[in-house]
Amino acid sequence: AAGVPNRLKQTLDAEAARVFEPGDVMTGEFYAFFLLSLTGVMLTAGAGDLVWLFLALELTSLPTYVMVATSRDRIEAQESAVKYFFLGALAAAVFLYGFALIYGATGSTDFVEITAIVQQQMAEGGGRLPTLLLMGMTLAVVGVCFKIAAVPMHFYTADVYEGAATPVTAFLAFVPKTAGAVALILLL
């Protein structure tokens, strides 16, 4: 990803003029978003409850929208970023609603407490999970599957990958998917 920001028209123009214009140079911001997204993955791995997991997944995703938009000086990059942003927001809404249903079924956001409550509910209910919990888990998994572009929620990835610069596409193909896989492990 090292050469991506240097190819931006704004950065090249600013360097050619030898005048520092903070609004025209995006190199620092690009690397800051890169590191914020990686931080989100690390926080996802350490999540102990649903709220923390949501915040960590969003910290992983939000910087990638800007990285896509600023990686190339072409209208396709901005189009891809907008599509990626709106579908990412939809995915976040779906898995957040799933988290809310899980909280409603268990009364807790902590993974350890949720596990204990679900085991107790299964023992009392003859081995059956409550419907509200099943609906919550389904929505949470579907939302995370959007984030990791799992089939059949993968329809947007071709456009996003085509619009972004190659190093950003490589980043998108691994980093958010890793966070999503970790989230699925924690949820399931």
Side-chain angles (χ1 to χ4, degrees), residues 10-134:
Q10 297 90 346
T11 304
L12 294 174
D13 291 346
E15 289 174 355
R18 302 283 183 218
V19 176
F20 180 70
E21 291 291 334
D24 292 339
V25 180
M26 297 185 190
T27 305
E29 290 85 351
F30 182 86
Y31 294 115
F33 288 128
F34 179 86
L35 292 173
L36 280 172
S37 187
L38 289 176
T39 303
V41 176
M42 290 185 280
L43 293 174
T44 301
D49 71 12
L50 295 173
V51 176
W52 191 253
L53 182 62
F54 171 73
L55 293 173
L57 282 172
E58 287 308 297
L59 182 60
T60 302
S61 297
L62 289 173
T64 61
Y65 308 144
V66 179
M67 290 171 63
V68 169
T70 61
S71 66
R72 292 168 71 182
D73 189 29
R74 294 176 49 191
I75 193 70
E76 290 85 6
Q78 286 79 27
E79 179 186 340
S80 296
V82 169
K83 182 180 287 187
Y84 187 35
F85 171 74
F86 282 116
L87 289 171
L90 172 72
V94 169
F95 74 74
L96 188 59
Y97 187 56
F99 289 177
L101 293 178
I102 293 169
Y103 175 74
T106 61
S108 177
T109 60
D110 185 69
F111 291 143
V112 175
E113 290 178 21
I114 289 172
T115 302
I117 291 167
V118 168
Q119 288 174 347
Q120 179 186 0
Q121 288 175 343
M122 285 182 64
E124 293 170 358
R128 295 187 59 219
L129 290 172
T131 305
L132 190 62
L133 179 67
L134 285 174

Side-chain angles (χ1 to χ4, degrees), residues 68 71-72 157 160-174:
V68 169
S71 66
R72 292 168 71 182
T157 54
V160 173
Y161 288 3
E162 183 180 353
T166 304
V168 174
T169 299
F171 184 82
L172 292 175
F174 180 72

